[in-house]
Amino acid sequence: MFLDEAAVVRAAPLPDASVLFSDSSPEWAEFCRDRLGFVVPDWAAESAEVAAAVRAGRA
């Protein structure tokens, strides 16, 4: 099971994978954030960190 950026639980990490659970309530978003520790990754920032590490010879 995978939790996507919209807090939808899917069978696989693909946009067209079967939806196992979907709830747009604030309580579900709060549960995902506070209890599961889910945050949407900041891919641009992460990519910049990786690129800087590669340039510095740390990766």
Side-chain angles (χ1 to χ4, degrees):
M1 291 189 284
F2 298 87
L3 187 60
D4 72 13
E5 293 180 357
V8 172
V9 180
R10 295 184 175 275
L14 304 167
D16 61 345
S18 299
V19 172
L20 303 176
F21 180 80
S22 179
D23 183 348
S24 61
S25 72
E27 293 83 9
W28 173 244
E30 181 180 313
F31 176 82
C32 293
R33 182 188 66 240
D34 298 343
R35 301 280 291 191
L36 300 179
F38 178 77
V39 294
V40 176
D42 183 346
W43 297 113
E46 188 172 318
S47 294
E49 283 182 35
V50 170
V54 168
R55 285 192 299 274
R58 295 180 304 206

